[in-house]
């Protein structure tokens, strides 16, 4: 029978109506999926017990798409077709990125970057969707049902284009996005900080390849982002690399080939993890040229040569504190997120800086996903009403361009979502009949320093003297932080409206096409599976009949045997074709043709069993 | 007759209750729904109703309303793992038939 979970009082779902909702941490290095079961937030592991799914997508030669650990292994062997850290490209144009160090073949387009792979040109949205699909399947297999939706986390500094791209990726993966949630907010929720009435919290997130620091202020159930900062090229991998360099130096090795580099890097990583709980780590391995490396790394040495990496995290931290105008005494709690915060020296340094005990009792790799799952559970309606829904805020101010290339802010950053604000503008020339509205996002005064989101025109303004027209521009941001803008001339009610599809996002048509393509391939996938199943069934029956014929062919007439053999031959031939329907029919025909034979065999075996026995011997 | 928990089930319920931070026990019940007539419900308990019957098994308080008790008396609640999935399982001696998925049953 089905397995049950404990529900909140009065919230038991009817059978087949489970509201399964998950939280997804779509990370740069690793991704996770979590859900709330029996009132407890849990990360969902894959069938091998791994919670983390490396955010790596490999387009394999045979047309398959590999995601996770197996894809990670291909990173050095097939770099062009193995996409890592795709999150860095989400909603970004080529000019936003430093691609000189990357092995990918980028194609120049007006919008988001695209990567040329073996499987064709792929956008970051499509690549992220592959990661999300794997997590979705994992969740559905574990929870035994379809998901009603998911909360997906994004960095607090993600702008509109990057958020939109994340949402598009989810849509492409067939996931209904209940909400996009800021990663630091999710971490705070996982620690139940939202249960407190107010406070100021620091979220220190040192992941595999990125460092983010966020300062959140909680008041009346709303998390406000006071400041964010970070280093997009600093993470646990850098610590591995330091150990790797130390190994080369200590063992006096010359630069190595790709295989050895990989081997040594993985040994470095193991050593780093081992040192979290031990005083020294042994590093030993055999290199491809037969050279044997055997070293011992002590915690003291490790701390010494990674000291400046740890210090490097403090400068963005100080900047964020300065931006928020806070002193360390005002901080009510520090949440540690990301696997790299397990390193004792990191914890020590951060604790010393903030002069307090850190929140570390939840697994730092999982904390964001756990928080997202708690939100998803509430949004899906699995909790009683008394649990307040957490509100988020918009990360960057939204405004429009005014005369002289200046920004006029309409919605200020940290306004709680959803939000709508209107502002009145006017014409600046006599007889002006149209107005161009340029929507921008950012904190800077000059439009050229902000990110351009959209442009549209309001036409049909009656000719008036400059300053007489009243044009009301309304900005609306929905709960996911996505914007629509409308403009209306109040005396004539002429109106224009735009849902902001950020210029780096994908057009509706592009998304529809991608969705269609995924449906098409779903059909092909289904077909392939049916064919495979039909072939297995055919193989099984052929083997069984051949076996039966070889032992009991004496039971049937020569004609019967020939008829069966003819059917077998027909099936054997069909089995190699692509026609699963025909295979199924042939299996049935063979089944039918062997009915009499099967009955004869059954009789024979019963008589064999009974032969030479008295009635008393037979235990009826 | 009574309702009982297996050791693993009792342990899990205790953890869940502790993590939830409130609640006095576990409510087992049935409701008339589903493809085979009735379905089990499993909920945390914050308040007791007058007509409820309470049992105690391995230190966990189990609460059942009288209408449900008729259908599930004698049930043993277990916690098991099936592949990737894990959860509670009713071993109900009163069940005559279940629907294919086992989410609902008849007595």
């Amino acid at each position: 029978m089905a397995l049950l979970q404990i529900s909140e009082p009065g919230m038991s779902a009817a059978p087949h109506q489970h509201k399964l909702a998950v939280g997804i941490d779509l990370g740069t290095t690793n991704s996770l999926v979590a859900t709330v079961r029996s009132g407890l937030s849990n990360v969902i592991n894959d069938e091998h017990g791994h919670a983390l799914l490396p955010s790596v997508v490999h387009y394999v030669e045979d047309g398959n798409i590999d995601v996770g650990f197996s894809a990670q292994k291909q990173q050095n062997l097939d770099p062009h077709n193995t996409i890592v850290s795709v999150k860095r490209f989400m909603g970004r144009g080529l000019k936003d990125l430093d691609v000189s160090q990357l092995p990918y073949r980028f194609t120049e387009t007006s919008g988001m970057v695209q990567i040329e792979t073996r499987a064709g040109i792929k956008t970051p949205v499509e690549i992220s969707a592959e990661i999300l699909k794997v997590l979705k399947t994992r969740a559905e297999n574990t929870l035994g049902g379809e998901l009603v939706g998911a909360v997906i986390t994004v960095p607090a500094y993600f702008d509109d284009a990057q958020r939109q791209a994340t949402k598009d990726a989810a849509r492409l993966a067939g996931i209904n996005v209940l909400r996009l949630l800021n990663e630091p907010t999710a971490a705070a929720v996982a620690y139940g900080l939202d249960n407190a009435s107010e406070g100021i919290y620091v979220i220190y997130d040192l992941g595999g390849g990125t460092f983010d620091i966020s300062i959140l202020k909680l008041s009346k159930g709303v998390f406000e982002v006071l400041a964010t900062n970070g280093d997009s090229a600093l993470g646990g991998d850098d610590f591995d690399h330091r150990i790797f360099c130390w190994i080369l130096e200590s063992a006096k090795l010359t630069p190595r080939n790709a295989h050895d580099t990989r081997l040594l890097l993985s040994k470095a990583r193991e050593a780093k993890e081992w040192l979290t709980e031990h005083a020294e780590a042994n590093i030993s391995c055999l290199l491809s040229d037969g050279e044997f490396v055997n070293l011992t790394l002590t915690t003291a040495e490790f701390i010494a040569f990674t000291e400046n990496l740890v210090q490097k995290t403090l400068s963005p931290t100080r900047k964020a504190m300065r931006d928020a105008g806070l002193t360390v005494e005002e901080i009510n709690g520090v949440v540690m997120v990301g696997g790299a915060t397990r390193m004792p020296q990191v914890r020590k340094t951060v604790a010393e800086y903030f002069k307090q005990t850190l929140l570390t009792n939840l697994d730092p790799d999982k904390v964001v996903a756990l928080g997202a799952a708690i939100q998803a559970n509430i949004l899906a309606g699995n909790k009683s009403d008394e649990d307040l829904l957490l509100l988020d805020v918009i990360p960057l101010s939204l405004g429009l361009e005014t005369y002289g290339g200046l920004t006029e802010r309409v919605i200020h950053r940290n306004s709680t979502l959803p939000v709508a604000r209107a502002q009145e503008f006017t014409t600046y020339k006599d007889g002006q009949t149209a107005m161009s509205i340029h929507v921008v996002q950012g904190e800077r005064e000059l439009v050229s320093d902000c990110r351009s989101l959209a442009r549209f025109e309001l036409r049909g303004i009656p000719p008036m003297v400059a300053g007489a027209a009243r044009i009301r521009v309304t900005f609306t941001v929905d709960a996911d932080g996505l914007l629509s803008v409308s403009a209306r001339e109040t005396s004539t009610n002429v109106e224009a409206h735009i849902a902001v599809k950020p210029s780096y996002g994908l057009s509706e048509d592009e998304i529809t096409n991608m969705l269609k393509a995924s449906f098409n391939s779903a059909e092909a996938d289904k077909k392939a599976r049916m064919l495979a199943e039909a072939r297995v069934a055919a193989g099984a029956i052929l083997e069984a009949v051949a076996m039966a014929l070889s032992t009991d062919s004496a039971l049937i007439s020569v004609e019967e045997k020939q008829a069966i053999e003819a059917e077998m031959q027909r099936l054997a031939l069909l089995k190699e074709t692509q026609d699963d329907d025909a295979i199924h029919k042939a299996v049935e025909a063979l089944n039918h043709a062997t009915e009499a034979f099967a009955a004869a065999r059954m009789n024979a075996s019963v008589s064999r069993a009974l032969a030479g026995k008295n009635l008393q011997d037979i235990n009826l | 007759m009574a309702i009982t928990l297996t050791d693993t089930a009792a342990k899990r319920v205790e953890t869940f209750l502790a993590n939830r931070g409130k609640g006095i026990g576990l409510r087992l019940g049935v409701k008339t729904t589903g493809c085979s007539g009735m379905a089990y419900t499993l909920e945390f308990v914050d308040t007791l109703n007058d007509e409820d019957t309470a049992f105690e098994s391995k230190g966990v308080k189990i609460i059942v309303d009288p209408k449900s008790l008729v259908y599930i008396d004698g049930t043993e609640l277990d916690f098991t793992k099936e592949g990737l999935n894990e959860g509670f399982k009713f071993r109900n001696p009163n069940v005559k038939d279940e629907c294919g998925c086992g989410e609902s049953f008849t007595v």
Side-chain angles (χ1 to χ4, degrees), chain B residues 26-59:
Chain B
L26 183 68
R27 180 182 294 280
L28 269 66
V30 296
K31 55 181 176 184
T32 48
T33 172
C35 33
S36 212
M38 274 178 280
Y40 298 113
T41 62
L42 201 56
E43 295 176 357
F44 293 112
V45 183
D46 288 327
T47 46
L48 261 161
N49 300 327
D50 290 343
E51 67 278 11
D52 282 339
T53 312
F55 301 98
E56 174 127 357
S57 172
K58 314 229 161 73

Side-chain angles (χ1 to χ4, degrees), chain A residues 382-563:
Chain A
N382 288 334
K383 274 210 137 188
S384 42
D385 298 335
E386 64 198 65
D387 288 290
L388 269 178
L389 191 57
L390 181 78
L391 291 173
D392 230 324
V393 294
I394 63 167
L396 298 163
S397 299
L398 296 163
L400 38 81
E401 177 176 354
T402 58
Y403 192 57
L406 292 177
T407 317
E408 175 75 30
R409 279 177 217 146
V410 178
I411 298 181
H412 287 261
R413 66 189 286 251
N414 284 331
S415 307
T416 55
L417 299 180
V419 62
R421 292 258 160 84
Q423 203 149 318
E424 287 209 340
F425 292 88
T426 188
T427 48
Y428 66 95
K429 261 187 190 160
D430 286 344
Q432 184 180 345
T433 57
M435 187 171 179
S436 162
I437 292 162
H438 182 197
V439 184
V440 297
Q441 182 171 35
E443 306 311 311
R444 310 285 291 273
E445 293 306 322
L446 286 178
V447 167
S448 52
D449 295 331
C450 290
R451 176 174 279 261
S452 163
L453 292 181
R455 275 172 205 278
F456 68 108
E457 282 196 347
L458 177 67
R459 295 184 168 281
I461 305 171
M464 289 183 240
V465 289
R470 291 265 165 276
I471 294 151
R472 198 176 167 78
V473 180
T474 311
F475 277 56
T476 315
V477 184
D478 70 9
D480 297 313
L482 300 174
L483 168 72
S484 60
V485 180
S486 66
R488 195 162 60 118
E489 203 288 306
T490 45
S491 65
T492 53
N493 281 342
V494 185
E495 200 174 289
H497 175 268
I498 191 167
V500 174
K501 288 282 161 215
S503 33
Y504 287 110
L506 300 167
S507 72
E508 198 64 17
D509 278 354
E510 284 176 289
I511 295 175
T512 315
N513 283 339
M514 286 177 195
L515 276 176
K516 260 193 216 142
S518 71
F519 288 145
N520 290 344
S521 64
E523 190 57 38
D525 289 351
K526 201 173 128 201
K527 182 96 186 126
R529 201 181 72 207
M530 279 165 59
L531 180 62
E533 281 170 1
R535 281 182 178 162
V536 168
I541 190 168
L542 280 175
E543 200 172 310
V545 175
M547 180 77 124
L549 280 179
S550 72
T551 52
D552 290 327
S553 62
L555 291 171
I556 44 172
S557 69
V558 179
E559 291 79 32
E560 278 173 313
K561 189 176 173 209
Q562 273 166 355

Side-chain angles (χ1 to χ4, degrees), chain A residues 247-432:
Chain A
I247 297 173
L248 291 190
E249 236 169 76
S250 312
K252 299 194 178 49
L253 299 173
T254 46
R256 294 279 122 187
N257 62 23
H259 171 266
D260 285 349
T261 307
R262 243 189 344 271
L263 178 67
L264 289 172
L265 271 174
S266 72
K267 289 284 168 193
R269 187 194 182 90
E270 278 167 28
K272 175 186 75 175
E273 284 164 9
W274 179 259
L275 285 175
T276 296
E277 279 165 23
H278 302 86
E280 53 180 50
N282 184 260
I283 300 167
S284 64
C285 58
L286 189 63
L287 298 178
S288 51
D289 59 2
E291 194 164 350
F292 187 67
V293 175
N294 190 12
L295 295 165
T296 303
L297 176 61
T298 65
T299 310
E301 283 170 299
F302 180 47
I303 291 175
F305 65 72
T306 57
E307 171 69 25
N308 62 340
L309 285 179
V310 182
Q311 286 299 326
K312 244 175 121 176
T313 67
L314 286 186
S315 99
T317 306
R318 283 193 202 96
K319 269 189 214 138
M321 291 290 287
R322 206 163 47 232
D323 288 350
L326 294 168
T327 60
V328 290
E329 285 75 26
E330 292 170 86
I331 302 297
N332 301 87
V334 181
V335 177
M336 299 299 270
V337 182
T341 62
R342 286 201 189 87
M343 282 183 278
Q345 69 264 45
V346 174
R347 290 188 178 183
K348 187 163 159 281
T349 311
V350 178
E352 276 168 10
Y353 177 77
F354 286 105
K355 298 182 190 133
Q356 58 183 291
T357 318
L358 307 171
L359 290 163
T360 52
N361 50 319
L362 293 179
D363 184 332
D365 279 324
K366 300 177 181 170
V367 56
V368 168
L370 294 176
I374 293 171
Q375 274 291 293
N377 191 44
I378 299 174
L379 284 166
N382 288 334
K383 274 210 137 188
S384 42
D385 298 335
E386 64 198 65
D387 288 290
L388 269 178
L389 191 57
L390 181 78
L391 291 173
D392 230 324
V393 294
I394 63 167
L396 298 163
S397 299
L398 296 163
L400 38 81
E401 177 176 354
T402 58
Y403 192 57
L406 292 177
T407 317
E408 175 75 30
R409 279 177 217 146
V410 178
I411 298 181
H412 287 261
R413 66 189 286 251
N414 284 331
S415 307
T416 55
L417 299 180
V419 62
R421 292 258 160 84
Q423 203 149 318
E424 287 209 340
F425 292 88
T426 188
T427 48
Y428 66 95
K429 261 187 190 160
D430 286 344
Q432 184 180 345

Side-chain angles (χ1 to χ4, degrees), chain A residues 53-54 56 58 60 65-75 82:
Chain A
L53 176 76
V56 183
H58 178 220
V60 191
I65 300 171
D66 232 357
V67 181
F69 289 102
S70 50
Q72 203 172 32
K73 290 199 188 102
Q74 300 301 315
Q75 199 178 323
T82 310

Side-chain angles (χ1 to χ4, degrees), chain A residues 4-5 7-8 10 12 142, chain B residues 20 42-44 85-86 88 101:
Chain A
L4 284 107
Q5 311 294 331
S7 313
E8 289 295 312
S12 290
T142 305
Chain B
R20 190 168 171 266
L42 201 56
E43 295 176 357
F44 293 112
N85 200 354
E86 57 177 23
F88 292 94
C101 60

Side-chain angles (χ1 to χ4, degrees), chain A residues 59-101:
Chain A
Y59 292 93
V60 191
E61 224 155 342
D62 60 9
N64 281 331
I65 300 171
D66 232 357
V67 181
F69 289 102
S70 50
Q72 203 172 32
K73 290 199 188 102
Q74 300 301 315
Q75 199 178 323
N76 290 319
L77 303 175
D78 190 9
H80 294 309
N81 299 302
T82 310
I83 320 296
V84 296
S85 306
V86 67
K87 190 174 174 180
R88 294 183 197 274
F89 311 141
M90 290 292 270
R92 296 271 140 190
L94 205 50
K95 66 177 164 61
D96 300 328
L97 300 165
D98 172 23
V99 294
S100 56
Q101 295 293 311

